[in-house]
Amino acid sequence: MVKFPGNNKINLAIFISGRGTNFKSIFNFSKKKKSILNIKLVISDNKYAKGLEFSKKKKISTKVVKFVKKRDAENKILKLIKSNKIDLICLAGFMKILSENFLEKCNLKILNIHPSLLPKYKGLNTHMRVLKNKDKFSGCTVHLVNKNLDAGKIILQKKVRVNKNDTIKSLEKKILRMENKIYPLAIMKTVKSIF
């Protein structure tokens, strides 16, 4: 159990690898009146991640950590988490799998968003698999991270109808829009449960 921070703000660290659309939606939510969320740190394993431009523009502390040696990278991240007094970690399109050792040492709740209705379609290529199986619905899930891939406790999940003419691209777009809506809500739900 984390004590409620003295300044009444919850310090978030957002981990990204690409465009950072979910990061942007969390940022916009954090800027609403009476928001208790404060994005204190953005970490990326990819120096070319588009989301980094947004992060720098908004003057958020931003670090690129190369995963050449996983243990070294994770140790560097742990130090950043500690020095920035982070309360909650949000993975937003972060393409590295964090080790069990990291999860134990970090000792914080870590959220992840996945573009499927978990426990269906863990891992990659979710949209392709949904279309191949002719599913009528897909969606997205925000869940807690544990040592098993995409297997932590589900915080929030939303369905999206799959149309006959949907392609991987159109389905991805539709689900991403839904992800952008539910991720901030899932963060708030988590915050209320731990503070």
Side-chain angles (χ1 to χ4, degrees):
M1 185 69 87
V2 188
K3 279 185 183 162
F4 194 82
N7 64 356
N8 292 346
K9 288 274 184 184
I10 309 297
N11 288 332
L12 303 181
I14 314 277
F15 290 20
I16 63 171
S17 293
R19 293 167 298 186
T21 57
N22 276 309
F23 155 45
K24 285 175 194 172
S25 80
I26 296 165
F27 176 84
N28 291 335
F29 187 88
S30 77
K31 290 298 165 194
K32 283 184 177 179
K33 214 176 168 186
K34 292 183 181 169
S35 170
I36 56 164
L37 303 180
N38 172 41
I39 299 176
K40 187 92 188 278
L41 179 66
V42 171
I43 288 175
S44 180
D45 62 308
N46 171 19
K47 67 176 178 181
Y48 302 110
K50 275 209 173 131
L52 292 176
E53 293 166 24
F54 181 80
S55 179
K56 285 167 186 167
K57 200 168 95 182
K58 298 298 179 187
K59 296 183 170 55
I60 302 165
S61 177
T62 305
K63 302 286 177 196
V64 174
V65 179
K66 287 181 188 168
F67 272 68
V68 182
K69 286 186 178 165
K70 192 172 189 170
R71 188 172 281 262
D72 292 351
E74 289 186 340
N75 283 338
K76 201 177 268 185
I77 291 171
L78 285 167
K79 280 178 188 159
L80 288 166
I81 294 298
K82 206 173 179 183
S83 63
N84 283 279
K85 297 184 169 62
I86 298 302
D87 301 305
L88 183 69
I89 296 171
C90 303
L91 309 183
F94 187 63
M95 299 310 285
K96 298 288 179 198
I97 294 169
L98 298 165
S99 72
E100 204 176 329
N101 176 58
F102 178 88
L103 299 181
E104 277 173 21
K105 283 186 177 170
C106 178
N107 197 28
L108 289 176
K109 284 220 175 357
I110 303 174
L111 289 176
N112 183 43
I113 191 150
H114 185 75
S116 83
L117 295 172
L118 291 174
K120 270 183 141 184
Y121 309 119
K122 294 174 182 179
L124 300 171
N125 305 315
T126 53
H127 309 309
M128 186 183 78
R129 290 187 280 163
V130 164
L131 293 173
K132 199 178 169 188
N133 290 333
K134 295 181 168 58
D135 288 1
K136 285 189 169 63
F137 290 96
S138 186
C140 49
T141 308
V142 180
H143 64 95
L144 289 173
V145 174
N146 65 11
K147 61 180 181 174
N148 301 313
L149 181 69
D150 298 330
K153 182 187 169 192
I154 290 171
I155 304 297
L156 209 53
Q157 192 169 61
K158 280 282 185 232
K159 274 184 184 176
V160 166
R161 186 178 283 282
V162 180
N163 299 324
K164 280 183 181 146
N165 58 352
D166 265 324
T167 61
I168 289 172
K169 219 167 192 162
S170 68
L171 190 56
E172 183 193 357
K173 251 185 180 169
K174 225 189 300 190
I175 289 173
L176 190 58
R177 275 200 302 272
M178 186 57 82
E179 287 181 29
N180 294 166
K181 279 181 191 167
I182 75 163
Y183 209 161
L185 303 177
I187 292 169
M188 288 312 298
K189 201 176 169 188
T190 307
V191 161
K192 281 170 185 165
S193 76
I194 57 175
F195 291 106

